Amino acid sequence: MANLEDVPTTDLFSEVLRRMKCATKPDKRLILVGPPGSGKGTQSPIIKDEYCLCHLATGDMLRAAVAAKTPLGIKAKEAMEKGELVSDDLVVGIIDDALKKPSCQKGFILDGFPRTVVQAQKLDEMLKNRGVKVDKVLNFAVDDRILEERITGRWIHPSSGRSYHTKFAPPKVPGVDDATGEPLIQRKDDTAEVLKSRLEAFHKQTEPVIDYYTKKGVVANLPAEKSPKEVTVEVQKVLSS
Ligand code: AMP
């Protein structure tokens, strides 16, 4: 842990204020489901800040593991490059560990997990052992036909997860993150060709997850073809009800 004496007073105060605001918010355990490019990653930071939740995106965690060449990354790399799913055991393990983080105390946003019914069942078990359950599953429903343009124009700031789009949400300076000035990257799997496999995996393996949670009565459908701002309004309606 950082020595608190070394932390500037203004930073300490803003962290104390943030924690006081968070203490008044209800706990929330959320799952975001939707095909690649449906806007999960765009809405997640907004929901995270509003409700003081942790944001766990298995895709981001796996990409970090691939970049760091950890044993997990080495196992996951090939499937990710082909747009196929990595094994259930790998992702269940990383989520189980990540949920222990103090930042997940008030709840979590799972983004890109669970992606198979087996993962959903394993998650239910994990949560049952902790005496909690999923509150809402936000289903980012959108037609496949508009996803190719969204995906192939996407640029990412890897460390924050912020995403941009050359046409719909360009950064102030091309190729550079607005907040930090750091370089943006294009994901290796954000090509029209790999998108085909990713969509196939979504329809075959992940859509049944939506049915699984529909039976539990926790799914809220969002019109994800709308603009990010309009989707934010819809998300807020769902989460405040
Ligand atoms: P994403 O960033 O969510 O689009 O994920 C990128 C890639 O990581 C996917 O195409 C999969 O290969 C892998 N991945 C991410 N999350 C999962 C998951 N829950 N189960 C299996 N594979 C996953």
Side-chain angles (χ1 to χ4, degrees):
M1 195 177 77
N3 184 351
L4 293 181
E5 284 177 9
D6 297 333
V7 179
T9 310
T10 47
D11 291 353
L12 269 182
F13 266 123
S14 57
E15 178 58 13
V16 169
L17 284 176
R18 190 188 70 82
R19 291 198 191 185
M20 281 166 61
K21 191 192 91 183
C22 288
T24 66
K25 304 277 179 173
D27 292 8
K28 283 205 188 286
R29 294 173 186 86
L30 308 173
I31 293 174
L32 273 45
V33 187
S38 59
K40 306 183 297 294
T42 303
Q43 299 300 327
S44 290
I46 304 171
I47 309 171
K48 171 187 170 207
D49 289 346
E50 175 68 30
Y51 290 97
C52 310
L53 309 173
C54 66
H55 173 213
L56 305 179
T58 39
D60 291 349
M61 293 165 167
L62 290 168
R63 273 186 292 281
V66 170
K69 299 197 169 75
T70 65
L72 170 77
I74 291 164
K75 282 188 199 143
K77 189 169 187 265
E78 199 185 323
M80 291 176 74
E81 283 177 355
K82 285 198 267 180
E84 293 168 5
L85 296 189
V86 309
S87 80
D88 290 332
D89 286 346
L90 282 189
V91 282
V92 168
I94 54 177
I95 286 291
D96 200 11
D97 279 348
L99 287 176
K100 294 174 188 144
K101 293 197 294 188
S103 57
C104 298
Q105 208 184 339
K106 288 201 66 68
F108 51 73
I109 304 167
L110 298 183
D111 167 356
F113 179 93
R115 255 179 159 99
T116 64
V117 172
V118 171
Q119 292 177 21
Q121 288 163 337
K122 293 253 168 86
L123 173 67
D124 273 356
E125 262 170 51
M126 276 183 241
L127 297 182
K128 204 168 159 203
N129 292 339
R130 292 170 162 90
V132 293
K133 62 178 178 45
V134 170
D135 296 310
K136 274 259 150 56
V137 175
L138 305 182
N139 175 26
F140 285 64
V142 59
D143 197 286
D144 283 5
R145 279 171 299 185
I146 68 168
L147 296 174
E148 185 176 322
E149 194 182 15
R150 282 193 186 179
I151 284 290
T152 53
R154 179 157 81 168
W155 286 79
I156 312 269
H157 177 239
S159 61
S160 70
R162 268 186 290 279
S163 64
Y164 298 86
H165 190 280
T166 43
K167 182 165 153 195
F168 307 126
K172 288 183 190 129
V173 178
V176 174
D177 178 48
D178 288 352
T180 62
E182 289 166 0
L184 302 176
I185 57 132
Q186 271 194 305
R187 279 171 48 172
K188 262 190 175 174
D189 59 350
D190 273 353
T191 62
E193 202 195 327
V194 181
L195 177 63
K196 285 196 193 106
S197 329
R198 292 163 71 195
L199 284 175
E200 200 182 304
F202 175 76
H203 292 303
K204 270 202 199 137
Q205 291 162 281
T206 309
E207 271 176 354
V209 173
I210 301 171
D211 299 336
Y212 175 88
Y213 287 113
T214 300
K215 289 191 190 114
K216 294 179 182 278
V218 289
V219 174
N221 294 308
L222 297 168
E225 74 289 345
K226 289 193 174 175
S227 72
K229 279 201 178 120
E230 288 171 304
V231 177
T232 302
V233 172
E234 297 294 329
V235 169
Q236 275 160 354
K237 274 192 218 156
V238 168
L239 296 185
S240 57
S241 64

